[in-house]
Amino acid sequence: MYKQNFVYKTGASPNIGSQKIFLYIIVLISALMAIMFGLFAVTANPIIISVAVALMIGVVLITKPVWILWLVLSLGLLVVGMLPLYFDSIASKAAWGVSLLGFLLMFIAFFGIATSPNKLKDTPAFVWIALFYLVYVLFDSLIQWDSAREFLSGFKRYFQVWGVLLALCWLNFDDRDMDRWRLFFLVTALTQLPFALYELIVFAPQLVSRWGVGAVDVVAGTFGTSSEVGGANGEMVLFLIIVLAFLLARGMEKTLSVTRQILLIPVVLLPLFLGETKVVIILLPLMFLVLYRHKMITQLHYWLMGFFVTILITIAAGYYYLSLSDKPVDQQVEEILNYNFYEQGYGKDRILNRTTVLTFWFEQQGTHDPISFIFGNGLGSSHTATRGHIAKRYPTHGIDLTTASTILWETGIFGFSLFMAIFASAWHCAGQLRRGSTIPVVKADAAAIQAALVLFAVYVFYRAGLVELISIQIVFFATLGYLDWLYRKHNLHFVRHAPPK
C-alpha cells in the first residue's frame, strides 16, 4: 500500500533502484570501452586499430547479419586488394578487420543453429564434410601444438571467411538478398577492367623501373596487388572465368539474352589479356569443356563451334603472353615447363615449384614421418612468411607454394582428402540440382557451379590462395554457400519424389 501511494504521489517506479543500477552498468561499460578504444588508437598499430573498428562495427550490426555479409563481400573484394597500391605497409594488417567480421558472421551462424536446430534440416552433405574438416583441423592442430602464434595465425588464414558459407547456409536470406548479391558479383567482375587498365598504365611501369619485375604482374584488378611485388592476377583470372561460366550457362538455358551476353562477355574477357597470367590457357578451355560437356552428344555442331571460338581466344591469349618477352618462343615454353613441372624453382627465392613441392612433401613425410604424412603438423606449421616450425626447416624451399602442399604439410593426407571431398560432394549436389530442377535459372547456375568447382580444384595445385588470400576465399565460399541456398530453396527431395502429373 505504501509503495502504491509512493508511486501515485511521486510518479516513481518500484523498480527505480534496479533501473539506476542498470544505468550505472551501461555508463561503466561505455567508459571502459572508450578507454579501451582510446588505448587502441594511441598504439598506432594497424592490426589493433582495424580489429577494434571491426569489433565495434560488428557489435552494432550483430542483429543485422545481412549488413555484415555485405561488408565482408564489398571490403574483401573491392577494398582490401587495392590498399597495397597506396598503403602497402598497412594493407595486410587492415585486412584483419574484414577477417574479424567473417569470424563474427560464423559465430552468428552457429548461434542461429544452436537456438533453432531445425535450420539444419536439408543441409547438403558437402556442408557437413566442411564442418567435419574444420573440427578435425582444430583438434589435429591442438594435439600437435607448437605455439599460440602459429596456431592463431593459421586458423585466421584458413577460416577467416568460412562465415560466408555458414551464413548463406543457416541464416534467413530471401530472394531479394540473393538477387542483390548475384548482381554485386557481376558488377565486381565488370569493375576489374577499369582497375586492371589503371594498374597497367600507372603502376606497371613502376615495377620495371624499381625492381625489373614483369610489368604485367601488377595487373590483378581489385584482388590484391602491390606497386612493388606484383599481385594476385591468377585469382582475378579465376574469378572472371567463373563469372563467364555463369553468363554462358544463363545463355545456354535462354535466361540471358544474346544482346546482354554481347555487352557483358567482352568486358569480362578483356582483363584476361591485360596481365601475363598463363593459367588462362588451361582454365578457359577447361571451363568450356565442363560447362558444355552434355552438348557434345546432343548438339555436337554447336559444341564444336563454341569450342573452336574458345580455342581461338586461348591461342590469342597465349600468343599475347609470349609476345611480351623478347625471348624466343621455344625458350619461353621450356622455362614455363621447367619452373612448373621439372626441377627449376618457382620464382627467384624458392627451390621448389608446383610439382616438386608435392614430391618433396611425399619424400619427407611419406618415407620419414608416417604420422605426419597422415595427420600433418598443425595449422601454420608450413607457412614461410610467419616462420612456422616446419617452414623453418626448409626456409628457402617454399613448401607452402600451393593450397595442396600447405594442406598436406599442415593437416596430412587425411585432411587433404577431407578438403577435396568437399569438392566432390558439392559437385554431386550441383549435379542433383541441375538434373532435378525444372527452373532454367537454377539449372544454369548449377551447371556453372560445377564448372567453377573444377576450376577451383585445379587452383588448389596452382596457388595457396584458398588457405590464405581473403578475396579468392570469398569467391570460393560464396559459391558453396550459394549452392547450399539453391539446394534448400528448391528442396530436391520433394522434386525427386513428387508424384507424376
Side-chain angles (χ1 to χ4, degrees):
M1 186 69 178
Y2 171 78
K3 286 184 178 180
Q4 291 177 349
N5 292 335
F6 177 79
V7 172
Y8 176 78
K9 293 178 180 179
T10 65
S13 170
N15 296 324
I16 191 169
S18 59
Q19 291 178 357
K20 286 184 176 180
I21 294 174
F22 181 73
L23 179 62
Y24 293 151
I25 292 174
I26 294 296
V27 171
L28 178 61
I29 292 175
S30 300
L32 291 175
M33 289 186 66
I35 295 172
M36 181 180 67
F37 284 114
L39 293 174
F40 287 164
V42 298
T43 61
N45 187 311
I47 292 180
I48 295 177
I49 293 173
S50 62
V51 168
V53 172
L55 181 62
M56 184 169 58
I57 294 173
V59 170
V60 172
L61 300 180
I62 197 166
T63 59
K64 296 287 185 180
V66 64
W67 293 1
I68 299 177
L69 185 51
W70 267 115
L71 284 173
V72 172
L73 295 179
S74 56
L75 294 177
L77 289 177
L78 297 176
V79 177
V80 171
M82 294 298 296
L83 287 178
L85 288 175
Y86 307 97
F87 311 103
D88 201 29
S89 60
I90 67 170
S92 61
K93 301 175 180 62
W96 275 74
V98 182
S99 301
L100 184 61
L101 290 175
F103 285 121
L104 181 61
L105 204 56
M106 181 189 295
F107 168 78
I108 294 172
F110 280 132
F111 181 79
I113 61 171
T115 55
S116 301
N118 60 317
K119 292 181 179 180
L120 295 174
K121 183 181 179 182
D122 293 331
T123 299
F126 72 86
V127 178
W128 292 117
I129 296 173
L131 288 175
F132 183 66
Y133 171 76
L134 188 154
V135 173
Y136 161 75
V137 169
L138 291 180
F139 276 100
D140 182 59
S141 300
L142 290 173
I143 292 172
Q144 304 189 74
W145 184 270
D146 182 79
S147 68
R149 179 177 180 273
E150 182 177 285
F151 173 81
L152 292 175
S153 63
F155 179 79
K156 179 259 179 187
R157 287 191 301 272
Y158 270 61
F159 303 112
Q160 56 190 341
V161 291
W162 276 56
V164 173
L165 167 62
L166 301 180
L168 291 173
C169 289
W170 294 327
L171 300 182
N172 296 322
F173 300 123
D174 56 27
D175 292 352
R176 290 178 300 174
D177 293 323
M178 201 57 61
D179 288 340
R180 295 187 186 107
W181 286 321
R182 281 191 291 248
L183 179 61
F184 168 77
F185 277 96
L186 176 60
V187 171
T188 300
L190 299 177
T191 304
Q192 301 310 304
L193 178 58
F195 278 104
L197 286 171
Y198 180 72
E199 291 157 1
L200 181 65
I201 295 170
V202 177
F203 290 103
Q206 297 180 14
L207 284 177
V208 177
S209 60
R210 288 186 189 180
W211 309 96
V213 179
V216 290
D217 287 350
V218 76
V219 181
T222 63
F223 271 73
T225 191
S226 169
S227 59
E228 295 184 352
V229 296
N233 44 8
E235 286 70 23
M236 179 192 71
V237 162
L238 175 62
F239 170 68
L240 290 176
I241 295 178
I242 289 172
V243 172
L244 179 62
F246 276 88
L247 294 176
L248 292 175
R250 289 289 184 98
M252 186 170 58
E253 294 293 337
K254 305 294 189 298
T255 61
L256 184 66
S257 67
V258 175
T259 303
R260 290 187 177 182
Q261 290 185 71
I262 293 173
L263 292 174
L264 295 174
I265 289 177
V267 181
V268 174
L269 275 176
L270 191 55
L272 305 183
F273 293 86
L274 299 180
E276 189 181 354
T277 315
K278 302 177 183 68
V279 75
V280 171
I281 300 173
I282 297 174
L283 297 183
L284 192 59
L286 181 62
M287 179 274 291
F288 180 87
L289 288 172
V290 176
L291 188 63
Y292 289 94
R293 65 191 185 280
H294 300 291
K295 299 292 183 182
M296 293 176 62
I297 300 175
T298 59
Q299 298 178 356
L300 181 60
H301 55 297
Y302 288 117
W303 182 89
L304 288 174
M305 290 173 59
F307 186 68
F308 179 71
V309 172
T310 304
I311 292 299
L312 285 180
I313 296 174
T314 304
I315 292 173
Y319 178 79
Y320 168 73
Y321 298 148
L322 295 175
S323 68
L324 294 173
S325 175
D326 296 331
K327 298 177 182 178
V329 172
D330 57 344
Q331 182 180 347
Q332 293 185 62
V333 172
E334 184 179 357
E335 289 179 354
I336 292 171
L337 294 175
N338 282 337
Y339 67 71
N340 279 289
F341 301 104
Y342 299 148
E343 296 302 321
Q344 181 181 335
Y346 184 82
K348 298 179 180 179
D349 55 350
R350 295 186 185 92
I351 296 175
L352 303 174
N353 60 42
R354 292 185 175 105
T355 301
T356 57
V357 75
L358 299 176
T359 57
F360 181 77
W361 165 80
F362 184 78
E363 291 169 1
Q364 298 299 314
Q365 301 282 270
T367 57
H368 297 98
D369 192 351
I371 300 299
S372 295
F373 173 79
I374 298 173
F375 300 110
N377 300 276
L379 283 173
S381 59
S382 70
H383 197 246
T384 303
T386 55
R387 295 179 57 80
H389 73 276
I390 298 297
K392 289 179 183 178
R393 300 181 192 174
Y394 316 103
T396 59
H397 285 68
I399 59 174
D400 58 343
L401 178 62
T402 65
T403 301
S405 64
T406 302
I407 294 177
L408 285 169
W409 278 103
E410 297 185 358
T411 69
I413 192 68
F414 184 73
F416 181 74
S417 299
L418 280 177
F419 186 73
M420 297 309 294
I422 299 173
F423 289 80
S425 179
W427 168 278
H428 178 69
C429 179
Q432 284 185 318
L433 194 59
R434 183 184 58 81
R435 293 187 301 270
S437 178
T438 58
I439 303 173
V441 170
V442 175
K443 293 173 70 69
D445 287 357
I449 289 173
Q450 285 191 310
L453 288 169
V454 173
L455 299 182
F456 278 122
V458 172
Y459 179 83
V460 166
F461 300 91
Y462 174 64
R463 285 191 177 177
L466 287 185
V467 290
E468 187 162 355
L469 187 62
I470 195 168
S471 56
I472 199 62
Q473 287 177 327
I474 287 175
V475 177
F476 177 61
F477 290 111
T479 302
L480 293 180
Y482 179 49
L483 173 60
D484 175 275
W485 185 86
L486 285 175
Y487 186 89
R488 288 167 172 271
K489 178 74 176 176
H490 300 280
N491 206 330
L492 280 185
H493 175 80
F494 296 106
V495 172
R496 290 194 301 268
H497 295 83
K501 295 181 180 180

